[in-house]
PDB file of all heavy atoms in Angstrom:
ATOM      1  N   VAL A 405     109.504 103.938 121.476  1.00 93.00           N
ATOM      2  CA  VAL A 405     109.300 104.251 120.071  1.00 93.00           C
ATOM      3  C   VAL A 405     109.222 102.959 119.243  1.00 93.00           C
ATOM      4  O   VAL A 405     108.310 102.772 118.432  1.00 93.00           O
ATOM      5  CB  VAL A 405     110.461 105.140 119.512  1.00 93.00           C
ATOM      6  CG1 VAL A 405     110.408 105.215 117.998  1.00 93.00           C
ATOM      7  CG2 VAL A 405     110.365 106.530 120.128  1.00 93.00           C
ATOM      8  N   LEU A 406     110.155 102.063 119.472  1.00 94.00           N
ATOM      9  CA  LEU A 406     110.226 100.825 118.714  1.00 94.00           C
ATOM     10  C   LEU A 406     109.016  99.912 119.040  1.00 94.00           C
ATOM     11  O   LEU A 406     108.443  99.261 118.126  1.00 94.00           O
ATOM     12  CB  LEU A 406     111.502 100.042 119.018  1.00 94.00           C
ATOM     13  CG  LEU A 406     112.812 100.725 118.516  1.00 94.00           C
ATOM     14  CD1 LEU A 406     114.038  99.969 119.029  1.00 94.00           C
ATOM     15  CD2 LEU A 406     112.825 100.719 116.993  1.00 94.00           C
ATOM     16  N   ALA A 407     108.592  99.871 120.316  1.00 92.00           N
ATOM     17  CA  ALA A 407     107.446  99.059 120.692  1.00 92.00           C
ATOM     18  C   ALA A 407     106.180  99.560 120.028  1.00 92.00           C
ATOM     19  O   ALA A 407     105.374  98.737 119.542  1.00 92.00           O
ATOM     20  CB  ALA A 407     107.314  99.035 122.216  1.00 92.00           C
ATOM     21  N   TRP A 408     105.959 100.880 120.039  1.00 88.00           N
ATOM     22  CA  TRP A 408     104.759 101.425 119.448  1.00 88.00           C
ATOM     23  C   TRP A 408     104.808 101.231 117.929  1.00 88.00           C
ATOM     24  O   TRP A 408     103.811 100.849 117.302  1.00 88.00           O
ATOM     25  CB  TRP A 408     104.651 102.922 119.753  1.00 88.00           C
ATOM     26  CG  TRP A 408     103.477 103.579 119.094  1.00 88.00           C
ATOM     27  CD1 TRP A 408     103.511 104.416 118.046  1.00 88.00           C
ATOM     28  CD2 TRP A 408     102.103 103.379 119.432  1.00 88.00           C
ATOM     29  NE1 TRP A 408     102.227 104.835 117.701  1.00 88.00           N
ATOM     30  CE2 TRP A 408     101.331 104.184 118.553  1.00 88.00           C
ATOM     31  CE3 TRP A 408     101.411 102.633 120.387  1.00 88.00           C
ATOM     32  CZ2 TRP A 408      99.945 104.237 118.601  1.00 88.00           C
ATOM     33  CZ3 TRP A 408     100.044 102.692 120.422  1.00 88.00           C
ATOM     34  CH2 TRP A 408      99.323 103.469 119.547  1.00 88.00           C
ATOM     35  N   GLY A 409     105.978 101.450 117.307  1.00 87.00           N
ATOM     36  CA  GLY A 409     106.095 101.239 115.871  1.00 87.00           C
ATOM     37  C   GLY A 409     105.836  99.813 115.471  1.00 87.00           C
ATOM     38  O   GLY A 409     105.182  99.515 114.459  1.00 87.00           O
ATOM     39  N   ALA A 410     106.407  98.872 116.254  1.00 88.00           N
ATOM     40  CA  ALA A 410     106.209  97.452 115.984  1.00 88.00           C
ATOM     41  C   ALA A 410     104.740  97.045 116.082  1.00 88.00           C
ATOM     42  O   ALA A 410     104.204  96.304 115.253  1.00 88.00           O
ATOM     43  CB  ALA A 410     107.063  96.606 116.930  1.00 88.00           C
ATOM     44  N   LEU A 411     104.053  97.554 117.150  1.00 84.00           N
ATOM     45  CA  LEU A 411     102.648  97.229 117.317  1.00 84.00           C
ATOM     46  C   LEU A 411     101.820  97.774 116.150  1.00 84.00           C
ATOM     47  O   LEU A 411     100.943  97.088 115.628  1.00 84.00           O
ATOM     48  CB  LEU A 411     102.128  97.852 118.628  1.00 84.00           C
ATOM     49  CG  LEU A 411     100.608  97.692 118.836  1.00 84.00           C
ATOM     50  CD1 LEU A 411     100.277  96.214 119.121  1.00 84.00           C
ATOM     51  CD2 LEU A 411     100.132  98.532 120.006  1.00 84.00           C
ATOM     52  N   PHE A 412     102.073  98.999 115.721  1.00 79.00           N
ATOM     53  CA  PHE A 412     101.366  99.598 114.649  1.00 79.00           C
ATOM     54  C   PHE A 412     101.536  98.784 113.350  1.00 79.00           C
ATOM     55  O   PHE A 412     100.588  98.498 112.602  1.00 79.00           O
ATOM     56  CB  PHE A 412     101.855 101.023 114.423  1.00 79.00           C
ATOM     57  CG  PHE A 412     100.784 102.009 114.056  1.00 79.00           C
ATOM     58  CD1 PHE A 412     100.027 102.642 115.061  1.00 79.00           C
ATOM     59  CD2 PHE A 412     100.447 102.236 112.732  1.00 79.00           C
ATOM     60  CE1 PHE A 412      99.009 103.550 114.730  1.00 79.00           C
ATOM     61  CE2 PHE A 412      99.451 103.112 112.355  1.00 79.00           C
ATOM     62  CZ  PHE A 412      98.717 103.778 113.372  1.00 79.00           C
ATOM     63  N   LEU A 413     102.786  98.359 113.107  1.00 81.00           N
ATOM     64  CA  LEU A 413     103.064  97.566 111.884  1.00 81.00           C
ATOM     65  C   LEU A 413     102.390  96.169 111.940  1.00 81.00           C
ATOM     66  O   LEU A 413     101.800  95.737 110.958  1.00 81.00           O
ATOM     67  CB  LEU A 413     104.572  97.404 111.759  1.00 81.00           C
ATOM     68  CG  LEU A 413     105.071  96.783 110.477  1.00 81.00           C
ATOM     69  CD1 LEU A 413     104.706  97.647 109.251  1.00 81.00           C
ATOM     70  CD2 LEU A 413     106.587  96.587 110.500  1.00 81.00           C
ATOM     71  N   ILE A 414     102.427  95.560 113.117  1.00 80.00           N
ATOM     72  CA  ILE A 414     101.802  94.244 113.277  1.00 80.00           C
ATOM     73  C   ILE A 414     100.308  94.338 113.069  1.00 80.00           C
ATOM     74  O   ILE A 414      99.669  93.483 112.421  1.00 80.00           O
ATOM     75  CB  ILE A 414     102.135  93.643 114.661  1.00 80.00           C
ATOM     76  CG1 ILE A 414     103.640  93.235 114.710  1.00 80.00           C
ATOM     77  CG2 ILE A 414     101.280  92.436 114.973  1.00 80.00           C
ATOM     78  CD1 ILE A 414     104.117  92.857 116.089  1.00 80.00           C
ATOM     79  N   ARG A 415      99.684  95.350 113.647  1.00 74.00           N
ATOM     80  CA  ARG A 415      98.231  95.531 113.493  1.00 74.00           C
ATOM     81  C   ARG A 415      97.843  95.764 112.048  1.00 74.00           C
ATOM     82  O   ARG A 415      96.802  95.278 111.586  1.00 74.00           O
ATOM     83  CB  ARG A 415      97.756  96.694 114.378  1.00 74.00           C
ATOM     84  CG  ARG A 415      97.683  96.354 115.866  1.00 74.00           C
ATOM     85  CD  ARG A 415      97.510  97.617 116.707  1.00 74.00           C
ATOM     86  NE  ARG A 415      96.208  98.251 116.472  1.00 74.00           N
ATOM     87  CZ  ARG A 415      95.089  97.877 117.101  1.00 74.00           C
ATOM     88  NH1 ARG A 415      95.105  96.924 117.981  1.00 74.00           N
ATOM     89  NH2 ARG A 415      93.977  98.536 116.838  1.00 74.00           N
ATOM     90  N   LYS A 416      98.645  96.526 111.311  1.00 70.00           N
ATOM     91  CA  LYS A 416      98.300  96.826 109.914  1.00 70.00           C
ATOM     92  C   LYS A 416      98.549  95.604 109.024  1.00 70.00           C
ATOM     93  O   LYS A 416      97.743  95.335 108.114  1.00 70.00           O
ATOM     94  CB  LYS A 416      99.163  97.991 109.414  1.00 70.00           C
ATOM     95  CG  LYS A 416      98.775  99.339 110.002  1.00 70.00           C
ATOM     96  CD  LYS A 416      97.434  99.794 109.470  1.00 70.00           C
ATOM     97  CE  LYS A 416      97.064 101.196 109.962  1.00 70.00           C
ATOM     98  NZ  LYS A 416      95.708 101.641 109.479  1.00 70.00           N
ATOM     99  N   THR A 417      99.672  94.893 109.243  1.00 73.00           N
ATOM    100  CA  THR A 417     100.026  93.785 108.348  1.00 73.00           C
ATOM    101  C   THR A 417      99.424  92.446 108.710  1.00 73.00           C
ATOM    102  O   THR A 417      99.333  91.542 107.882  1.00 73.00           O
ATOM    103  CB  THR A 417     101.581  93.599 108.317  1.00 73.00           C
ATOM    104  OG1 THR A 417     102.006  93.384 109.656  1.00 73.00           O
ATOM    105  CG2 THR A 417     102.216  94.858 107.786  1.00 73.00           C
ATOM    106  N   TRP A 418      98.960  92.313 109.986  1.00 69.00           N
ATOM    107  CA  TRP A 418      98.425  91.017 110.409  1.00 69.00           C
ATOM    108  C   TRP A 418      97.006  91.101 110.908  1.00 69.00           C
ATOM    109  O   TRP A 418      96.075  90.524 110.337  1.00 69.00           O
ATOM    110  CB  TRP A 418      99.350  90.450 111.515  1.00 69.00           C
ATOM    111  CG  TRP A 418      98.877  89.139 112.061  1.00 69.00           C
ATOM    112  CD1 TRP A 418      98.168  88.165 111.405  1.00 69.00           C
ATOM    113  CD2 TRP A 418      99.076  88.652 113.410  1.00 69.00           C
ATOM    114  NE1 TRP A 418      97.927  87.112 112.254  1.00 69.00           N
ATOM    115  CE2 TRP A 418      98.468  87.371 113.494  1.00 69.00           C
ATOM    116  CE3 TRP A 418      99.717  89.168 114.532  1.00 69.00           C
ATOM    117  CZ2 TRP A 418      98.448  86.625 114.660  1.00 69.00           C
ATOM    118  CZ3 TRP A 418      99.754  88.408 115.673  1.00 69.00           C
ATOM    119  CH2 TRP A 418      99.126  87.138 115.728  1.00 69.00           C
ATOM    120  N   LEU A 419      96.784  91.924 111.930  1.00 61.00           N
ATOM    121  CA  LEU A 419      95.436  91.985 112.520  1.00 61.00           C
ATOM    122  C   LEU A 419      94.412  92.671 111.600  1.00 61.00           C
ATOM    123  O   LEU A 419      93.250  92.355 111.648  1.00 61.00           O
ATOM    124  CB  LEU A 419      95.513  92.741 113.887  1.00 61.00           C
ATOM    125  CG  LEU A 419      96.438  92.122 114.921  1.00 61.00           C
ATOM    126  CD1 LEU A 419      96.377  92.907 116.221  1.00 61.00           C
ATOM    127  CD2 LEU A 419      96.111  90.666 115.179  1.00 61.00           C
ATOM    128  N   GLU A 420      94.873  93.623 110.769  1.00 59.00           N
ATOM    129  CA  GLU A 420      94.024  94.283 109.864  1.00 59.00           C
ATOM    130  C   GLU A 420      94.400  93.983 108.399  1.00 59.00           C
ATOM    131  O   GLU A 420      94.266  94.839 107.514  1.00 59.00           O
ATOM    132  CB  GLU A 420      94.044  95.816 110.055  1.00 59.00           C
ATOM    133  CG  GLU A 420      93.650  96.236 111.473  1.00 59.00           C
ATOM    134  CD  GLU A 420      93.837  97.745 111.718  1.00 59.00           C
ATOM    135  OE1 GLU A 420      93.974  98.486 110.720  1.00 59.00           O
ATOM    136  OE2 GLU A 420      93.843  98.166 112.863  1.00 59.00           O
ATOM    137  N   ALA A 421      94.864  92.817 108.187  1.00 52.00           N
ATOM    138  CA  ALA A 421      95.448  92.443 106.892  1.00 52.00           C
ATOM    139  C   ALA A 421      94.461  92.572 105.743  1.00 52.00           C
ATOM    140  O   ALA A 421      94.818  92.835 104.593  1.00 52.00           O
ATOM    141  CB  ALA A 421      95.972  91.001 106.938  1.00 52.00           C
ATOM    142  N   THR A 422      93.143  92.433 105.998  1.00 53.00           N
ATOM    143  CA  THR A 422      92.169  92.498 104.944  1.00 53.00           C
ATOM    144  C   THR A 422      92.059  93.872 104.318  1.00 53.00           C
ATOM    145  O   THR A 422      91.695  94.037 103.152  1.00 53.00           O
ATOM    146  CB  THR A 422      90.757  92.113 105.487  1.00 53.00           C
ATOM    147  OG1 THR A 422      90.451  92.941 106.623  1.00 53.00           O
ATOM    148  CG2 THR A 422      90.758  90.684 105.943  1.00 53.00           C
ATOM    149  N   SER A 423      92.362  94.916 105.088  1.00 55.00           N
ATOM    150  CA  SER A 423      92.287  96.319 104.570  1.00 55.00           C
ATOM    151  C   SER A 423      93.668  96.915 104.314  1.00 55.00           C
ATOM    152  O   SER A 423      93.797  98.105 104.012  1.00 55.00           O
ATOM    153  CB  SER A 423      91.547  97.198 105.574  1.00 55.00           C
ATOM    154  OG  SER A 423      92.214  97.227 106.804  1.00 55.00           O
ATOM    155  N   PHE A 424      94.741  96.096 104.418  1.00 53.00           N
ATOM    156  CA  PHE A 424      96.093  96.594 104.267  1.00 53.00           C
ATOM    157  C   PHE A 424      96.601  96.344 102.845  1.00 53.00           C
ATOM    158  O   PHE A 424      96.540  95.248 102.327  1.00 53.00           O
ATOM    159  CB  PHE A 424      97.016  95.923 105.288  1.00 53.00           C
ATOM    160  CG  PHE A 424      98.443  96.334 105.189  1.00 53.00           C
ATOM    161  CD1 PHE A 424      98.841  97.544 105.734  1.00 53.00           C
ATOM    162  CD2 PHE A 424      99.382  95.529 104.584  1.00 53.00           C
ATOM    163  CE1 PHE A 424     100.141  97.964 105.647  1.00 53.00           C
ATOM    164  CE2 PHE A 424     100.682  95.925 104.468  1.00 53.00           C
ATOM    165  CZ  PHE A 424     101.103  97.123 105.042  1.00 53.00           C
ATOM    166  N   ASN A 425      97.072  97.403 102.192  1.00 59.00           N
ATOM    167  CA  ASN A 425      97.565  97.285 100.829  1.00 59.00           C
ATOM    168  C   ASN A 425      99.030  97.627 100.668  1.00 59.00           C
ATOM    169  O   ASN A 425      99.739  97.029  99.840  1.00 59.00           O
ATOM    170  CB  ASN A 425      96.747  98.228  99.901  1.00 59.00           C
ATOM    171  CG  ASN A 425      95.276  97.805  99.839  1.00 59.00           C
ATOM    172  OD1 ASN A 425      94.982  96.626  99.690  1.00 59.00           O
ATOM    173  ND2 ASN A 425      94.387  98.773 100.010  1.00 59.00           N
ATOM    174  N   ASP A 426      99.531  98.614 101.422  1.00 61.00           N
ATOM    175  CA  ASP A 426     100.879  99.093 101.246  1.00 61.00           C
ATOM    176  C   ASP A 426     101.490  99.502 102.590  1.00 61.00           C
ATOM    177  O   ASP A 426     100.801 100.093 103.405  1.00 61.00           O
ATOM    178  CB  ASP A 426     100.857 100.296 100.297  1.00 61.00           C
ATOM    179  CG  ASP A 426     102.236 100.761  99.925  1.00 61.00           C
ATOM    180  OD1 ASP A 426     103.232 100.134 100.332  1.00 61.00           O
ATOM    181  OD2 ASP A 426     102.331 101.758  99.176  1.00 61.00           O
ATOM    182  N   VAL A 427     102.756  99.166 102.777  1.00 61.00           N
ATOM    183  CA  VAL A 427     103.433  99.503 104.010  1.00 61.00           C
ATOM    184  C   VAL A 427     103.475 101.025 104.258  1.00 61.00           C
ATOM    185  O   VAL A 427     103.582 101.502 105.383  1.00 61.00           O
ATOM    186  CB  VAL A 427     104.878  98.932 104.031  1.00 61.00           C
ATOM    187  CG1 VAL A 427     105.782  99.706 103.075  1.00 61.00           C
ATOM    188  CG2 VAL A 427     105.447  98.936 105.463  1.00 61.00           C
ATOM    189  N   ASN A 428     103.366 101.755 103.189  1.00 66.00           N
ATOM    190  CA  ASN A 428     103.368 103.244 103.351  1.00 66.00           C
ATOM    191  C   ASN A 428     102.158 103.741 104.077  1.00 66.00           C
ATOM    192  O   ASN A 428     102.130 104.872 104.576  1.00 66.00           O
ATOM    193  CB  ASN A 428     103.438 103.895 101.960  1.00 66.00           C
ATOM    194  CG  ASN A 428     104.812 103.738 101.342  1.00 66.00           C
ATOM    195  OD1 ASN A 428     105.816 103.763 102.044  1.00 66.00           O
ATOM    196  ND2 ASN A 428     104.843 103.552 100.043  1.00 66.00           N
ATOM    197  N   GLU A 429     101.104 102.862 104.179  1.00 64.00           N
ATOM    198  CA  GLU A 429      99.913 103.252 104.927  1.00 64.00           C
ATOM    199  C   GLU A 429     100.224 103.455 106.410  1.00 64.00           C
ATOM    200  O   GLU A 429      99.610 104.263 107.103  1.00 64.00           O
ATOM    201  CB  GLU A 429      98.847 102.164 104.819  1.00 64.00           C
ATOM    202  CG  GLU A 429      98.200 102.093 103.432  1.00 64.00           C
ATOM    203  CD  GLU A 429      97.106 101.030 103.385  1.00 64.00           C
ATOM    204  OE1 GLU A 429      96.614 100.647 104.464  1.00 64.00           O
ATOM    205  OE2 GLU A 429      96.788 100.560 102.266  1.00 64.00           O
ATOM    206  N   VAL A 430     101.258 102.718 106.884  1.00 64.00           N
ATOM    207  CA  VAL A 430     101.666 102.866 108.288  1.00 64.00           C
ATOM    208  C   VAL A 430     102.249 104.251 108.524  1.00 64.00           C
ATOM    209  O   VAL A 430     101.869 104.934 109.449  1.00 64.00           O
ATOM    210  CB  VAL A 430     102.716 101.779 108.651  1.00 64.00           C
ATOM    211  CG1 VAL A 430     103.265 102.043 110.049  1.00 64.00           C
ATOM    212  CG2 VAL A 430     102.101 100.397 108.581  1.00 64.00           C
ATOM    213  N   PHE A 431     103.123 104.663 107.629  1.00 69.00           N
ATOM    214  CA  PHE A 431     103.833 105.924 107.830  1.00 69.00           C
ATOM    215  C   PHE A 431     103.004 107.132 107.418  1.00 69.00           C
ATOM    216  O   PHE A 431     103.356 108.278 107.726  1.00 69.00           O
ATOM    217  CB  PHE A 431     105.149 105.900 107.074  1.00 69.00           C
ATOM    218  CG  PHE A 431     106.053 104.753 107.475  1.00 69.00           C
ATOM    219  CD1 PHE A 431     106.236 103.647 106.630  1.00 69.00           C
ATOM    220  CD2 PHE A 431     106.684 104.762 108.711  1.00 69.00           C
ATOM    221  CE1 PHE A 431     107.031 102.615 107.042  1.00 69.00           C
ATOM    222  CE2 PHE A 431     107.496 103.717 109.130  1.00 69.00           C
ATOM    223  CZ  PHE A 431     107.662 102.637 108.265  1.00 69.00           C
ATOM    224  N   SER A 432     101.912 106.904 106.709  1.00 68.00           N
ATOM    225  CA  SER A 432     101.029 108.031 106.344  1.00 68.00           C
ATOM    226  C   SER A 432      99.922 108.242 107.359  1.00 68.00           C
ATOM    227  O   SER A 432      99.151 109.196 107.245  1.00 68.00           O
ATOM    228  CB  SER A 432     100.450 107.792 104.964  1.00 68.00           C
ATOM    229  OG  SER A 432      99.668 106.579 104.916  1.00 68.00           O
ATOM    230  N   ASP A 433      99.795 107.328 108.300  1.00 69.00           N
ATOM    231  CA  ASP A 433      98.782 107.420 109.355  1.00 69.00           C
ATOM    232  C   ASP A 433      99.218 108.408 110.400  1.00 69.00           C
ATOM    233  O   ASP A 433     100.250 108.212 111.060  1.00 69.00           O
ATOM    234  CB  ASP A 433      98.523 106.068 109.990  1.00 69.00           C
ATOM    235  CG  ASP A 433      97.270 106.034 110.822  1.00 69.00           C
ATOM    236  OD1 ASP A 433      96.992 107.056 111.475  1.00 69.00           O
ATOM    237  OD2 ASP A 433      96.618 104.980 110.851  1.00 69.00           O
ATOM    238  N   LYS A 434      98.447 109.477 110.654  1.00 71.00           N
ATOM    239  CA  LYS A 434      98.869 110.490 111.632  1.00 71.00           C
ATOM    240  C   LYS A 434      98.901 109.939 113.032  1.00 71.00           C
ATOM    241  O   LYS A 434      99.678 110.400 113.880  1.00 71.00           O
ATOM    242  CB  LYS A 434      97.922 111.678 111.543  1.00 71.00           C
ATOM    243  CG  LYS A 434      96.503 111.399 111.993  1.00 71.00           C
ATOM    244  CD  LYS A 434      95.644 112.668 112.010  1.00 71.00           C
ATOM    245  CE  LYS A 434      94.241 112.409 112.542  1.00 71.00           C
ATOM    246  NZ  LYS A 434      93.413 113.650 112.580  1.00 71.00           N
ATOM    247  N   ASN A 435      98.087 108.930 113.323  1.00 73.00           N
ATOM    248  CA  ASN A 435      98.099 108.316 114.669  1.00 73.00           C
ATOM    249  C   ASN A 435      99.449 107.676 114.955  1.00 73.00           C
ATOM    250  O   ASN A 435      99.893 107.618 116.116  1.00 73.00           O
ATOM    251  CB  ASN A 435      96.978 107.275 114.772  1.00 73.00           C
ATOM    252  CG  ASN A 435      95.620 107.885 114.784  1.00 73.00           C
ATOM    253  OD1 ASN A 435      95.449 109.012 115.278  1.00 73.00           O
ATOM    254  ND2 ASN A 435      94.631 107.203 114.250  1.00 73.00           N
ATOM    255  N   PHE A 436     100.102 107.172 113.929  1.00 76.00           N
ATOM    256  CA  PHE A 436     101.421 106.584 114.103  1.00 76.00           C
ATOM    257  C   PHE A 436     102.417 107.600 114.583  1.00 76.00           C
ATOM    258  O   PHE A 436     103.145 107.362 115.532  1.00 76.00           O
ATOM    259  CB  PHE A 436     101.910 106.003 112.756  1.00 76.00           C
ATOM    260  CG  PHE A 436     103.333 105.511 112.753  1.00 76.00           C
ATOM    261  CD1 PHE A 436     103.630 104.274 113.327  1.00 76.00           C
ATOM    262  CD2 PHE A 436     104.357 106.263 112.256  1.00 76.00           C
ATOM    263  CE1 PHE A 436     104.980 103.843 113.359  1.00 76.00           C
ATOM    264  CE2 PHE A 436     105.658 105.825 112.263  1.00 76.00           C
ATOM    265  CZ  PHE A 436     105.949 104.620 112.817  1.00 76.00           C
ATOM    266  N   TRP A 437     102.424 108.777 113.933  1.00 81.00           N
ATOM    267  CA  TRP A 437     103.378 109.847 114.322  1.00 81.00           C
ATOM    268  C   TRP A 437     103.041 110.496 115.632  1.00 81.00           C
ATOM    269  O   TRP A 437     103.932 110.870 116.381  1.00 81.00           O
ATOM    270  CB  TRP A 437     103.451 110.881 113.179  1.00 81.00           C
ATOM    271  CG  TRP A 437     104.046 110.291 111.927  1.00 81.00           C
ATOM    272  CD1 TRP A 437     103.361 110.001 110.760  1.00 81.00           C
ATOM    273  CD2 TRP A 437     105.398 109.852 111.738  1.00 81.00           C
ATOM    274  NE1 TRP A 437     104.205 109.435 109.871  1.00 81.00           N
ATOM    275  CE2 TRP A 437     105.460 109.305 110.425  1.00 81.00           C
ATOM    276  CE3 TRP A 437     106.525 109.866 112.526  1.00 81.00           C
ATOM    277  CZ2 TRP A 437     106.649 108.806 109.881  1.00 81.00           C
ATOM    278  CZ3 TRP A 437     107.715 109.377 111.992  1.00 81.00           C
ATOM    279  CH2 TRP A 437     107.760 108.844 110.702  1.00 81.00           C
ATOM    280  N   VAL A 438     101.769 110.642 115.910  1.00 79.00           N
ATOM    281  CA  VAL A 438     101.353 111.163 117.224  1.00 79.00           C
ATOM    282  C   VAL A 438     101.821 110.258 118.319  1.00 79.00           C
ATOM    283  O   VAL A 438     102.382 110.679 119.348  1.00 79.00           O
ATOM    284  CB  VAL A 438      99.840 111.352 117.280  1.00 79.00           C
ATOM    285  CG1 VAL A 438      99.403 111.716 118.710  1.00 79.00           C
ATOM    286  CG2 VAL A 438      99.373 112.512 116.350  1.00 79.00           C
ATOM    287  N   GLY A 439     101.653 108.935 118.108  1.00 81.00           N
ATOM    288  CA  GLY A 439     102.043 107.974 119.097  1.00 81.00           C
ATOM    289  C   GLY A 439     103.579 107.928 119.268  1.00 81.00           C
ATOM    290  O   GLY A 439     104.078 107.765 120.397  1.00 81.00           O
ATOM    291  N   ILE A 440     104.311 108.085 118.168  1.00 86.00           N
ATOM    292  CA  ILE A 440     105.784 108.061 118.207  1.00 86.00           C
ATOM    293  C   ILE A 440     106.324 109.154 119.098  1.00 86.00           C
ATOM    294  O   ILE A 440     107.357 109.022 119.779  1.00 86.00           O
ATOM    295  CB  ILE A 440     106.355 108.192 116.805  1.00 86.00           C
ATOM    296  CG1 ILE A 440     106.206 106.843 116.009  1.00 86.00           C
ATOM    297  CG2 ILE A 440     107.838 108.604 116.818  1.00 86.00           C
ATOM    298  CD1 ILE A 440     107.054 105.725 116.566  1.00 86.00           C
ATOM    299  N   ILE A 441     105.617 110.309 119.165  1.00 87.00           N
ATOM    300  CA  ILE A 441     106.086 111.447 119.939  1.00 87.00           C
ATOM    301  C   ILE A 441     105.490 111.412 121.364  1.00 87.00           C
ATOM    302  O   ILE A 441     106.210 111.521 122.339  1.00 87.00           O
ATOM    303  CB  ILE A 441     105.716 112.770 119.236  1.00 87.00           C
ATOM    304  CG1 ILE A 441     106.396 112.855 117.892  1.00 87.00           C
ATOM    305  CG2 ILE A 441     106.059 113.963 120.114  1.00 87.00           C
ATOM    306  CD1 ILE A 441     105.947 113.964 117.021  1.00 87.00           C
ATOM    307  N   VAL A 442     104.174 111.270 121.421  1.00 89.00           N
ATOM    308  CA  VAL A 442     103.471 111.402 122.689  1.00 89.00           C
ATOM    309  C   VAL A 442     103.692 110.215 123.645  1.00 89.00           C
ATOM    310  O   VAL A 442     103.980 110.399 124.838  1.00 89.00           O
ATOM    311  CB  VAL A 442     101.970 111.647 122.478  1.00 89.00           C
ATOM    312  CG1 VAL A 442     101.223 111.666 123.830  1.00 89.00           C
ATOM    313  CG2 VAL A 442     101.749 112.925 121.719  1.00 89.00           C
ATOM    314  N   ILE A 443     103.572 109.014 123.102  1.00 90.00           N
ATOM    315  CA  ILE A 443     103.637 107.821 123.969  1.00 90.00           C
ATOM    316  C   ILE A 443     104.995 107.665 124.661  1.00 90.00           C
ATOM    317  O   ILE A 443     105.067 107.430 125.863  1.00 90.00           O
ATOM    318  CB  ILE A 443     103.254 106.589 123.152  1.00 90.00           C
ATOM    319  CG1 ILE A 443     101.743 106.606 122.898  1.00 90.00           C
ATOM    320  CG2 ILE A 443     103.607 105.298 123.920  1.00 90.00           C
ATOM    321  CD1 ILE A 443     101.228 105.454 122.094  1.00 90.00           C
ATOM    322  N   PRO A 444     106.120 107.793 123.951  1.00 93.00           N
ATOM    323  CA  PRO A 444     107.435 107.656 124.642  1.00 93.00           C
ATOM    324  C   PRO A 444     107.603 108.692 125.757  1.00 93.00           C
ATOM    325  O   PRO A 444     108.149 108.409 126.823  1.00 93.00           O
ATOM    326  CB  PRO A 444     108.455 107.895 123.548  1.00 93.00           C
ATOM    327  CG  PRO A 444     107.766 107.453 122.294  1.00 93.00           C
ATOM    328  CD  PRO A 444     106.345 107.899 122.487  1.00 93.00           C
TER     329      PRO A 444
END
C-alpha cells in the first residue's frame, strides 16, 4: 500500500509536475484507490 501510494505521489508531484496543481488530485484519482486495493 505504502509503495504504491508513494509512487503515485512521486509521479504526480515530480514526473508529471507540469500538470499537477493540488495534492488532492492524487486522492481524487480512481486509479489510486483501485491500486491501493487490488495491487496489495
Side-chain angles (χ1 to χ4, degrees):
V405 168
L406 292 173
W408 177 254
L411 175 70
F412 218 88
L413 188 62
I414 290 171
R415 284 167 66 85
K416 288 291 184 182
T417 58
W418 179 30
L419 302 183
E420 301 174 16
T422 54
S423 61
F424 179 77
N425 296 312
D426 187 3
V427 72
N428 289 323
E429 290 182 20
V430 173
F431 303 106
S432 61
D433 193 324
K434 67 176 184 179
N435 291 328
F436 172 79
W437 294 108
V438 170
I440 285 292
I441 297 170
V442 175
I443 288 180

